[in-house]
Amino acid sequence: MRTRSQSQRPEESESGSLASASKEAVGKLLKRASSRKGSKEKGQQEDPISVEESKFKVEEILKEKDKGNVGNAVGTISNKGEDVEVSVHRDANELEWEDGNILASESRESYSHDSEKEITVELTDFPSTTQRKTSRRATAEEKELAELVHKVHLLCLLSRGRLVDRVCNDPLIQASLLSLLPPSLLEIAEIPKLTGSTLGPLVKWFHNNFQLRSHDVDRGSFKSNLAFALESRLGTAEEVTALSVALFRALNLTTRFLSVLDVASLKPDRDVLGCSNPDSPRLDTNIFSSAVASSSDQVSASNLLHPLPSSTCSNDISHETLARGKHHKKDGRPIIKKSPLKGSASTTGLDIVISGDSIANKLCSDKLESLPAKFPVGSKRKGDAEFELQLEMALSATAAGVSASNLGSHVDELSGSSLLPSPPSKKLKKPSLHQHESVITNHGSSSAVWSQKLGPPTYWAEVYCSGETLNGRWVHVDAVNGIVDGESNVEAAAAAGRKPLKYVVAFSGGGAKDVTRRYCMHWYKIAPRRVNSQWWDEVLAPLKLLESDATGGMIRMEASNLKEMGSELPHQECLNPLNTKDDILEGSYKKVATDLSSGVATRNSLEDMELDTRALTEPLPTNQLAYKNHHLYVLERWLTKYQFLHPKGPVLGHCSGHPVYPRSCVQILQTRQKWLREGLQVIANEIPAKVVKHSKKFVKMQRSEDVSFPGEDDGQATMELFGKWQVEPLSLPCAKNGVVPKNERGQVDVWSEKCLPPGTVHLKFPRLVPVVRRLEIDFAPAMVGFEFRNGRSFPIFEGIVVCSEFKDAILAAYAEEEDRREAEEKRRQESQAVSRWFQLLSSIVTRQRLQNSYVDSSSSYEPNNPRIEEENNKSFDDMLQRESEFGLAQDAATGMSIHNHAHVFPIEDQSFDEESFVRTKRCPCGFSVQVEEL
DNA sequence: CTGCGCAAGTAGGCTTTGTAGTGG
DNA sequence: ACCACTACTTTGCCTACTTGCGCA
C-alpha cells in the first residue's frame, strides 16, 4: 500500500477520470476554503469510504532549534509490512498542511485488522523557526469565508442545543431520574418560593450520583446516549447537564439548558497565516474534546464546519481523530504503542511507530508526543508557548489510549480516576471534573498544564427561582460541578480556560435565548468575536419567542413590588448617563412599564430588562487599549480623525489619568461638502469643530489648478470639519421666473432629492434636452455623482432639473417626441429591412446571371419529377416573385425573364457538407442554392 | 502575564467636473 | 457645422486597522 502526497505525484491520485473530475470539483471548494498554495484535497466523493478514511492532515509545526535547513519532511506509514509513504512536500519558507492519502480498499483492510497494523511516520528536516514565513494578513475572501463558517457553525450549535433541550423533556428519562431521587428531595417540587439555596441538596445529590466519563460512547442518538448515561450514571458534560435539566424539569422547576456555543472563530485563524492564535487553538480543541466527543451529530457538523485550513494541528487532528475513532472504535479502544524516537536531540529525523485502529490517532498522538521536545526550552515566543500548550492538551486527550495499552491497565481505571479528587482550583468554587482532568491526572507531564487550566464550563442549567429577589430570577445551576448560583464565576472560569464566553445560549421549549450578558462582565472582550448582532438577533428572534413561551410565566406584581420597580426604573437610568441617548433600554423599560401598569410582567421581559441593564453598566476597563473599540466608553486618545466628543462629558472615570467619556458622546464630523450631500449646510459663522490636515494628493491637485491656493507654509492644507450639531437643513435659492438656480458650473448637483432647489424637479428621462430646448425652457443638467476612470473622476449626469411649473408641459412634449421618435425608428427599421432584402436578392440575381453567362446552355436537363422539383423550388420562386415586385427580376443582360427557365436540382448534383450541414443544390443551368439542413 | 509603544503591512475608502474620434 | 455617441483605460494615495514584537 503506497500513497503519495499529491503535491509530489498528482498522477497517482487519478485512478480514473471520475476521481479526477471529483477531485477537481471538490478541489475548487477546498481551494477557496484553504486558499493555500499547493495544498490539494483529494475529493473522491463517489467513494464513501475514501472520504472518511483516506484523508488526514499533518501540519508541519515542528521547529528546529538550531539548524536552519529546511527541506522535505517524509512520513512513512508502514502497514503490515507494506509502506505507506506520506511525502510531505514543504515549501522552503512556508508551513503547510499536507494531505496523505491511503487508498480506500487498503485502508478498509487496515481498519479491519487494525491491531496488526503498524504505522510509521518519518519526519526529517524540520523547518527552522527563524525561517518561518512572516505572517500574512487574511484576505477579504478569507474573512468572508470565516464569517460564513462562523454563522453556519452557530446555526449547527443552536440546533444541537435544541436537540438536547428536546431530549431533556423525554418523559421516560424524567421518570427514571425521579425514581432514583430520594423521597426527601422530591419535596422541592412543592416549595412555593424557590431559592438557590433550596436547590443545594438536590444539586449535591445529583453531583454525587452522576460523574463525567473520560471517553464518549456513541449509541446512535443523543437520546440513547442520555439513557445510557442515566443507566451508568456516567456521561459527558453535555449528557450529565442534560440529565440535570431533565431532573429539574421532572420536578416541575422551570429550567433551561445552557450551553456555551464554542463556535469556530469569526476571524480567519491566524495559525494558517503562519502565526499563533492565542485562544482559538485551545478553543477548538475544547470543541472537539467536549462537544464532539459527546455527539456523533456534532462530529459530522464539525467536520462540515472545518473545511477551513484554519484548523490547527490538534484541532483538526483531534476532530478527525474523534470522527474516525467513531467509525472504527468497534472492537475496543485504540491500542497505541510508541516506538522510541529514532533521532536524538541532535538529529533532525524522527520515527514514529504507532499501533492502533485509527491512523489519525496514531499520527496525532505520536506526533504530539514528540512535539514538545522540539520546542526550545528556553526563549519561547508567545505563539510557541501557546502552541505547545495546545499540543499538550491534544496529547492529554489521546493519553488515555496510550496508558491503556502500554501499561496493560484499563480505561475503567481511568474513568474511575474521574472520581478522584481533582486538583484545587483558584477560580472555581469547586473544581470541575472535566474529562481532560481525569486524563491528565494520570499523565504526569500534562497535569501541570491542566491544574492551571481547569476545564471551562460549557454546559449548565438555569432554574427559575421565584423566591429570589423581588420577582424571582434565573439561578445558575452547574450540577456537573455541584455549583449553585455561581454565575459570577463562570466568566472567570472561562477566562482561566482561555475560552471566552462568546455565546451563552439558554435552550427551552424548543427555543433559544442569548443570555451571554448575564455571564459576561467584559462585553468589550467578546464583542469583536461575535457575529454582527443584527444577523444574530434575526436568527434568534423566532427561537426567542419559543423560549419565552416555555419559560415566560406571568408574574403577578404585588403592590409593594410595583412601587419598588417603579422607583427602580428611573434609578437605573440615572446609573448610566448614556441612557439619555441610548435607546437600548428604552424598549425593555417601556415593555416592563406597560406590564407594570397592568400589574403583570413576564419573566421574559424582566429578564430582558436585566440583561439590557447589564449591557449598559459594564465596569470601566483598567487598560487604555480596551477603550479603543469599547461599545460604551471612549478615551479621547482613541478617537479617529473624523470623530469628536460632543458634548465633552460627563467624565465617567479615569484610566491612567485619561478621562473616560461615554461612547454616545462621540460624533462623526464631516466637511461642508459632505454635509451638503446629505442636504444639510453648516450654520453661518460656525467655527469648525476640528481642523485636520488635508491629503497631500488633494493639496497637489488644488495647487496645480489654482496657483493662488491658500496653502499653509508647511505645505499642508487643512480641512474644516463640522459636527451634526453645527448644521441645518439646506436652504437653497428658490427657482424664480422659470429660471433654475445653478452652481458655478451651470448645473445642479443632485446628490439626493434634498439637494434640489425649491420649486424645481429632477426629470430623469433620456433625450430630454432637445425637447426642453425646443420649448425654450430654462434647465440645468443634473449631476448625480462621480465615476472614477483612468485615475480621474468624471461627473455622471442623469436627466435635467427644471422648474416645477414646466414639468407637465415638458412631459407632454417629451411623450409626443418619443412617439414621433419611435414611429420614425420603426420606419427606419422597416426601410432598412427592405434595403437588406434588396441587397440579398440583387446578389442572388447577379450570381445567377453570371452563372448563365459562363455555363454551356446545351447541358439543359429534364427533371425526372418536375412536380417534386417544383415543390422544392417553390419557396425560392416566391422569393424571386417578391424580388420581381421590386422590379429586379428582369435579367437585363440576357433580356429574358428568369421565369422562362424553371430551375431543377437533380439529386446527383447535390452535395452535402457534413460539417456545416449545408446542402448545395445545383441547377444544370449553373444556378445553385445552399440550404442549411437541421 | 499583561499592558504599552512601535513598526510594518494591508485592505479598503476616497478621490471628485474629459477628450478625441466617428458618424449622422 | 453641429450633435450624439463611444472608446479611452483600468489611479493611487491615505487612513484605519491588525498584528507581531520588544520592553517594562
Side-chain angles (χ1 to χ4, degrees), chain A residues 382-421:
Chain A
K382 193 178 175 187
D384 298 341
E386 285 293 335
F387 205 89
E388 189 178 344
L389 198 57
Q390 164 206 345
L391 291 174
E392 285 199 49
M393 286 170 61
L395 175 61
S396 310
T398 54
V402 176
S403 57
S405 61
N406 272 1
L407 306 174
S409 61
H410 26 278
V411 180
D412 294 358
E413 203 176 275
L414 253 179
S415 52
S417 73
S418 65
L419 301 171
L420 295 171

mmCIF file of all heavy atoms in Angstrom, chain A residues 382-421:
data_model
loop_
_atom_site.group_PDB
_atom_site.id
_atom_site.type_symbol
_atom_site.label_atom_id
_atom_site.label_comp_id
_atom_site.label_asym_id
_atom_site.label_seq_id
_atom_site.Cartn_x
_atom_site.Cartn_y
_atom_site.Cartn_z
ATOM 1 N N LYS A 382 5.371 33.893 22.443
ATOM 2 C CA LYS A 382 4.033 33.653 22.976
ATOM 3 C C LYS A 382 3.324 32.578 22.152
ATOM 4 O O LYS A 382 2.725 31.654 22.672
ATOM 5 C CB LYS A 382 3.234 34.951 22.917
ATOM 6 C CG LYS A 382 1.959 34.886 23.727
ATOM 7 C CD LYS A 382 1.273 36.222 23.631
ATOM 8 C CE LYS A 382 -0.070 36.187 24.331
ATOM 9 N NZ LYS A 382 -0.806 37.412 24.109
ATOM 10 N N GLY A 383 3.448 32.721 20.858
ATOM 11 C CA GLY A 383 2.778 31.780 19.971
ATOM 12 C C GLY A 383 3.275 30.362 20.170
ATOM 13 O O GLY A 383 2.508 29.411 20.192
ATOM 14 N N ASP A 384 4.580 30.230 20.349
ATOM 15 C CA ASP A 384 5.151 28.907 20.543
ATOM 16 C C ASP A 384 4.606 28.270 21.814
ATOM 17 O O ASP A 384 4.229 27.101 21.846
ATOM 18 C CB ASP A 384 6.674 28.998 20.641
ATOM 19 C CG ASP A 384 7.266 29.534 19.358
ATOM 20 O OD1 ASP A 384 6.555 29.474 18.329
ATOM 21 O OD2 ASP A 384 8.400 30.014 19.384
ATOM 22 N N ALA A 385 4.584 29.066 22.845
ATOM 23 C CA ALA A 385 4.103 28.550 24.122
ATOM 24 C C ALA A 385 2.658 28.104 23.997
ATOM 25 O O ALA A 385 2.266 27.046 24.484
ATOM 26 C CB ALA A 385 4.239 29.621 25.189
ATOM 27 N N GLU A 386 1.897 28.935 23.311
ATOM 28 C CA GLU A 386 0.500 28.606 23.117
ATOM 29 C C GLU A 386 0.366 27.286 22.389
ATOM 30 O O GLU A 386 -0.411 26.415 22.747
ATOM 31 C CB GLU A 386 -0.186 29.701 22.280
ATOM 32 C CG GLU A 386 -0.459 30.959 23.034
ATOM 33 C CD GLU A 386 -1.487 30.730 24.112
ATOM 34 O OE1 GLU A 386 -2.304 29.803 23.988
ATOM 35 O OE2 GLU A 386 -1.450 31.469 25.101
ATOM 36 N N PHE A 387 1.171 27.190 21.378
ATOM 37 C CA PHE A 387 1.058 26.015 20.541
ATOM 38 C C PHE A 387 1.455 24.771 21.323
ATOM 39 O O PHE A 387 0.819 23.728 21.235
ATOM 40 C CB PHE A 387 1.939 26.183 19.309
ATOM 41 C CG PHE A 387 1.450 25.370 18.166
ATOM 42 C CD1 PHE A 387 0.527 25.904 17.285
ATOM 43 C CD2 PHE A 387 1.864 24.071 18.009
ATOM 44 C CE1 PHE A 387 0.037 25.141 16.245
ATOM 45 C CE2 PHE A 387 1.379 23.310 16.970
ATOM 46 C CZ PHE A 387 0.470 23.843 16.085
ATOM 47 N N GLU A 388 2.492 24.934 22.087
ATOM 48 C CA GLU A 388 2.943 23.797 22.873
ATOM 49 C C GLU A 388 1.858 23.355 23.840
ATOM 50 O O GLU A 388 1.569 22.171 24.007
ATOM 51 C CB GLU A 388 4.206 24.191 23.636
ATOM 52 C CG GLU A 388 4.862 23.029 24.313
ATOM 53 C CD GLU A 388 6.137 23.462 25.002
ATOM 54 O OE1 GLU A 388 6.625 24.559 24.691
ATOM 55 O OE2 GLU A 388 6.611 22.705 25.831
ATOM 56 N N LEU A 389 1.249 24.356 24.426
ATOM 57 C CA LEU A 389 0.198 24.075 25.380
ATOM 58 C C LEU A 389 -0.933 23.321 24.702
ATOM 59 O O LEU A 389 -1.463 22.327 25.214
ATOM 60 C CB LEU A 389 -0.316 25.405 25.932
ATOM 61 C CG LEU A 389 -1.110 25.342 27.226
ATOM 62 C CD1 LEU A 389 -0.287 24.674 28.295
ATOM 63 C CD2 LEU A 389 -1.474 26.742 27.636
ATOM 64 N N GLN A 390 -1.252 23.800 23.567
ATOM 65 C CA GLN A 390 -2.337 23.204 22.810
ATOM 66 C C GLN A 390 -2.011 21.759 22.450
ATOM 67 O O GLN A 390 -2.841 20.866 22.540
ATOM 68 C CB GLN A 390 -2.544 24.050 21.561
ATOM 69 C CG GLN A 390 -3.349 23.386 20.498
ATOM 70 C CD GLN A 390 -2.992 23.954 19.152
ATOM 71 O OE1 GLN A 390 -2.365 24.995 19.053
ATOM 72 N NE2 GLN A 390 -3.360 23.271 18.101
ATOM 73 N N LEU A 391 -0.771 21.555 22.077
ATOM 74 C CA LEU A 391 -0.359 20.209 21.723
ATOM 75 C C LEU A 391 -0.421 19.289 22.935
ATOM 76 O O LEU A 391 -0.830 18.133 22.829
ATOM 77 C CB LEU A 391 1.067 20.248 21.174
ATOM 78 C CG LEU A 391 1.193 20.928 19.821
ATOM 79 C CD1 LEU A 391 2.654 21.050 19.437
ATOM 80 C CD2 LEU A 391 0.439 20.152 18.770
ATOM 81 N N GLU A 392 -0.039 19.834 24.036
ATOM 82 C CA GLU A 392 -0.088 19.015 25.238
ATOM 83 C C GLU A 392 -1.514 18.614 25.553
ATOM 84 O O GLU A 392 -1.781 17.507 26.018
ATOM 85 C CB GLU A 392 0.519 19.785 26.420
ATOM 86 C CG GLU A 392 2.026 19.846 26.333
ATOM 87 C CD GLU A 392 2.638 20.180 27.679
ATOM 88 O OE1 GLU A 392 2.260 19.548 28.663
ATOM 89 O OE2 GLU A 392 3.473 21.081 27.713
ATOM 90 N N MET A 393 -2.395 19.542 25.302
ATOM 91 C CA MET A 393 -3.795 19.227 25.554
ATOM 92 C C MET A 393 -4.270 18.108 24.656
ATOM 93 O O MET A 393 -4.919 17.157 25.095
ATOM 94 C CB MET A 393 -4.654 20.476 25.322
ATOM 95 C CG MET A 393 -4.530 21.483 26.410
ATOM 96 S SD MET A 393 -5.303 23.004 25.932
ATOM 97 C CE MET A 393 -6.973 22.439 25.698
ATOM 98 N N ALA A 394 -3.911 18.214 23.406
ATOM 99 C CA ALA A 394 -4.306 17.174 22.469
ATOM 100 C C ALA A 394 -3.673 15.854 22.878
ATOM 101 O O ALA A 394 -4.278 14.795 22.825
ATOM 102 C CB ALA A 394 -3.870 17.555 21.063
ATOM 103 N N LEU A 395 -2.453 15.981 23.320
ATOM 104 C CA LEU A 395 -1.737 14.797 23.773
ATOM 105 C C LEU A 395 -2.459 14.174 24.954
ATOM 106 O O LEU A 395 -2.638 12.960 25.025
ATOM 107 C CB LEU A 395 -0.325 15.225 24.192
ATOM 108 C CG LEU A 395 0.559 14.176 24.814
ATOM 109 C CD1 LEU A 395 0.761 13.053 23.823
ATOM 110 C CD2 LEU A 395 1.889 14.794 25.171
ATOM 111 N N SER A 396 -2.899 15.026 25.839
ATOM 112 C CA SER A 396 -3.603 14.529 27.009
ATOM 113 C C SER A 396 -4.847 13.773 26.583
ATOM 114 O O SER A 396 -5.206 12.755 27.154
ATOM 115 C CB SER A 396 -4.008 15.690 27.900
ATOM 116 O OG SER A 396 -2.910 16.507 28.129
ATOM 117 N N ALA A 397 -5.494 14.317 25.584
ATOM 118 C CA ALA A 397 -6.725 13.702 25.128
ATOM 119 C C ALA A 397 -6.476 12.297 24.607
ATOM 120 O O ALA A 397 -7.319 11.420 24.714
ATOM 121 C CB ALA A 397 -7.370 14.562 24.050
ATOM 122 N N THR A 398 -5.317 12.103 24.020
ATOM 123 C CA THR A 398 -5.031 10.785 23.466
ATOM 124 C C THR A 398 -4.302 9.910 24.467
ATOM 125 O O THR A 398 -4.072 8.745 24.224
ATOM 126 C CB THR A 398 -4.170 10.915 22.215
ATOM 127 O OG1 THR A 398 -3.021 11.682 22.536
ATOM 128 C CG2 THR A 398 -4.921 11.563 21.104
ATOM 129 N N ALA A 399 -3.950 10.483 25.578
ATOM 130 C CA ALA A 399 -3.142 9.748 26.543
ATOM 131 C C ALA A 399 -3.877 8.556 27.123
ATOM 132 O O ALA A 399 -3.281 7.577 27.522
ATOM 133 C CB ALA A 399 -2.686 10.662 27.676
ATOM 134 N N ALA A 400 -5.186 8.633 27.184
ATOM 135 C CA ALA A 400 -5.963 7.548 27.759
ATOM 136 C C ALA A 400 -5.641 6.243 27.048
ATOM 137 O O ALA A 400 -5.376 5.222 27.668
ATOM 138 C CB ALA A 400 -7.445 7.851 27.655
ATOM 139 N N GLY A 401 -5.677 6.321 25.737
ATOM 140 C CA GLY A 401 -5.413 5.128 24.964
ATOM 141 C C GLY A 401 -4.014 4.622 25.176
ATOM 142 O O GLY A 401 -3.771 3.421 25.250
ATOM 143 N N VAL A 402 -3.102 5.539 25.288
ATOM 144 C CA VAL A 402 -1.702 5.168 25.460
ATOM 145 C C VAL A 402 -1.508 4.371 26.734
ATOM 146 O O VAL A 402 -0.973 3.270 26.735
ATOM 147 C CB VAL A 402 -0.818 6.432 25.510
ATOM 148 C CG1 VAL A 402 0.615 6.050 25.791
ATOM 149 C CG2 VAL A 402 -0.934 7.176 24.196
ATOM 150 N N SER A 403 -2.000 4.932 27.799
ATOM 151 C CA SER A 403 -1.797 4.264 29.083
ATOM 152 C C SER A 403 -2.535 2.939 29.103
ATOM 153 O O SER A 403 -2.075 1.967 29.675
ATOM 154 C CB SER A 403 -2.248 5.156 30.222
ATOM 155 O OG SER A 403 -3.597 5.502 30.033
ATOM 156 N N ALA A 404 -3.672 2.925 28.452
ATOM 157 C CA ALA A 404 -4.474 1.708 28.470
ATOM 158 C C ALA A 404 -3.715 0.552 27.845
ATOM 159 O O ALA A 404 -3.745 -0.570 28.336
ATOM 160 C CB ALA A 404 -5.784 1.932 27.746
ATOM 161 N N SER A 405 -3.065 0.824 26.749
ATOM 162 C CA SER A 405 -2.414 -0.266 26.052
ATOM 163 C C SER A 405 -1.035 -0.567 26.621
ATOM 164 O O SER A 405 -0.660 -1.713 26.802
ATOM 165 C CB SER A 405 -2.293 0.080 24.572
ATOM 166 O OG SER A 405 -1.509 1.228 24.436
ATOM 167 N N ASN A 406 -0.336 0.473 26.892
ATOM 168 C CA ASN A 406 1.045 0.273 27.306
ATOM 169 C C ASN A 406 1.168 -0.337 28.693
ATOM 170 O O ASN A 406 1.988 -1.209 28.925
ATOM 171 C CB ASN A 406 1.796 1.609 27.292
ATOM 172 C CG ASN A 406 2.384 1.852 25.923
ATOM 173 O OD1 ASN A 406 2.202 1.029 25.023
ATOM 174 N ND2 ASN A 406 3.083 2.937 25.778
ATOM 175 N N LEU A 407 0.402 0.151 29.559
ATOM 176 C CA LEU A 407 0.539 -0.293 30.934
ATOM 177 C C LEU A 407 -0.322 -1.504 31.213
ATOM 178 O O LEU A 407 -0.308 -2.061 32.306
ATOM 179 C CB LEU A 407 0.168 0.839 31.889
ATOM 180 C CG LEU A 407 0.939 2.132 31.628
ATOM 181 C CD1 LEU A 407 0.406 3.228 32.521
ATOM 182 C CD2 LEU A 407 2.421 1.916 31.841
ATOM 183 N N GLY A 408 -1.053 -1.922 30.207
ATOM 184 C CA GLY A 408 -1.901 -3.069 30.393
ATOM 185 C C GLY A 408 -3.039 -2.785 31.354
ATOM 186 O O GLY A 408 -3.797 -3.649 31.742
ATOM 187 N N SER A 409 -3.144 -1.574 31.739
ATOM 188 C CA SER A 409 -4.261 -1.194 32.598
ATOM 189 C C SER A 409 -5.478 -0.958 31.728
ATOM 190 O O SER A 409 -5.411 -1.033 30.526
ATOM 191 C CB SER A 409 -3.929 0.066 33.384
ATOM 192 O OG SER A 409 -3.693 1.097 32.476
ATOM 193 N N HIS A 410 -6.569 -0.649 32.300
ATOM 194 C CA HIS A 410 -7.777 -0.433 31.522
ATOM 195 C C HIS A 410 -8.316 0.950 31.764
ATOM 196 O O HIS A 410 -8.045 1.600 32.761
ATOM 197 C CB HIS A 410 -8.826 -1.479 31.871
ATOM 198 C CG HIS A 410 -8.657 -2.018 33.236
ATOM 199 N ND1 HIS A 410 -7.770 -3.016 33.516
ATOM 200 C CD2 HIS A 410 -9.225 -1.680 34.400
ATOM 201 C CE1 HIS A 410 -7.809 -3.292 34.808
ATOM 202 N NE2 HIS A 410 -8.676 -2.489 35.362
ATOM 203 N N VAL A 411 -9.068 1.301 30.837
ATOM 204 C CA VAL A 411 -9.590 2.662 30.896
ATOM 205 C C VAL A 411 -10.619 2.796 32.002
ATOM 206 O O VAL A 411 -10.882 3.883 32.502
ATOM 207 C CB VAL A 411 -10.198 3.050 29.541
ATOM 208 C CG1 VAL A 411 -10.750 4.449 29.578
ATOM 209 C CG2 VAL A 411 -9.141 2.933 28.467
ATOM 210 N N ASP A 412 -11.148 1.680 32.402
ATOM 211 C CA ASP A 412 -12.092 1.735 33.518
ATOM 212 C C ASP A 412 -11.441 2.404 34.709
ATOM 213 O O ASP A 412 -12.053 3.178 35.435
ATOM 214 C CB ASP A 412 -12.528 0.321 33.907
ATOM 215 C CG ASP A 412 -13.324 -0.305 32.789
ATOM 216 O OD1 ASP A 412 -13.538 0.390 31.766
ATOM 217 O OD2 ASP A 412 -13.714 -1.449 32.910
ATOM 218 N N GLU A 413 -10.182 2.094 34.831
ATOM 219 C CA GLU A 413 -9.444 2.695 35.921
ATOM 220 C C GLU A 413 -9.363 4.202 35.705
ATOM 221 O O GLU A 413 -9.469 4.989 36.616
ATOM 222 C CB GLU A 413 -8.047 2.096 35.916
ATOM 223 C CG GLU A 413 -7.342 2.174 37.245
ATOM 224 C CD GLU A 413 -6.008 1.459 37.139
ATOM 225 O OE1 GLU A 413 -5.973 0.245 37.314
ATOM 226 O OE2 GLU A 413 -5.020 2.126 36.847
ATOM 227 N N LEU A 414 -9.179 4.499 34.428
ATOM 228 C CA LEU A 414 -9.081 5.910 34.066
ATOM 229 C C LEU A 414 -10.369 6.644 34.381
ATOM 230 O O LEU A 414 -10.363 7.713 34.988
ATOM 231 C CB LEU A 414 -8.826 6.017 32.559
ATOM 232 C CG LEU A 414 -7.443 6.426 32.150
ATOM 233 C CD1 LEU A 414 -7.371 6.448 30.643
ATOM 234 C CD2 LEU A 414 -7.109 7.764 32.735
ATOM 235 N N SER A 415 -11.444 6.038 33.910
ATOM 236 C CA SER A 415 -12.708 6.712 34.167
ATOM 237 C C SER A 415 -12.967 6.742 35.657
ATOM 238 O O SER A 415 -13.578 7.658 36.178
ATOM 239 C CB SER A 415 -13.842 6.004 33.424
ATOM 240 O OG SER A 415 -13.811 4.638 33.721
ATOM 241 N N GLY A 416 -12.468 5.743 36.300
ATOM 242 C CA GLY A 416 -12.577 5.760 37.743
ATOM 243 C C GLY A 416 -11.804 6.917 38.338
ATOM 244 O O GLY A 416 -12.146 7.440 39.386
ATOM 245 N N SER A 417 -10.785 7.264 37.612
ATOM 246 C CA SER A 417 -9.975 8.372 38.110
ATOM 247 C C SER A 417 -10.749 9.663 38.159
ATOM 248 O O SER A 417 -10.381 10.585 38.861
ATOM 249 C CB SER A 417 -8.741 8.547 37.231
ATOM 250 O OG SER A 417 -9.124 9.105 36.008
ATOM 251 N N SER A 418 -11.796 9.682 37.398
ATOM 252 C CA SER A 418 -12.601 10.897 37.443
ATOM 253 C C SER A 418 -13.259 11.046 38.802
ATOM 254 O O SER A 418 -13.738 12.103 39.164
ATOM 255 C CB SER A 418 -13.662 10.865 36.348
ATOM 256 O OG SER A 418 -14.560 9.825 36.597
ATOM 257 N N LEU A 419 -13.269 9.965 39.513
ATOM 258 C CA LEU A 419 -13.851 10.047 40.850
ATOM 259 C C LEU A 419 -12.846 10.574 41.860
ATOM 260 O O LEU A 419 -13.195 10.959 42.958
ATOM 261 C CB LEU A 419 -14.334 8.663 41.298
ATOM 262 C CG LEU A 419 -15.384 8.031 40.390
ATOM 263 C CD1 LEU A 419 -15.636 6.597 40.799
ATOM 264 C CD2 LEU A 419 -16.667 8.837 40.432
ATOM 265 N N LEU A 420 -11.616 10.546 41.429
ATOM 266 C CA LEU A 420 -10.584 11.051 42.316
ATOM 267 C C LEU A 420 -10.754 12.544 42.508
ATOM 268 O O LEU A 420 -11.255 13.236 41.647
ATOM 269 C CB LEU A 420 -9.198 10.782 41.726
ATOM 270 C CG LEU A 420 -8.812 9.318 41.593
ATOM 271 C CD1 LEU A 420 -7.522 9.210 40.788
ATOM 272 C CD2 LEU A 420 -8.672 8.672 42.948
ATOM 273 N N PRO A 421 -10.315 13.020 43.632
ATOM 274 C CA PRO A 421 -10.421 14.472 43.825
ATOM 275 C C PRO A 421 -9.593 15.209 42.785
ATOM 276 O O PRO A 421 -8.470 14.807 42.489
ATOM 277 C CB PRO A 421 -9.879 14.676 45.242
ATOM 278 C CG PRO A 421 -9.158 13.422 45.582
ATOM 279 C CD PRO A 421 -9.772 12.321 44.781
#
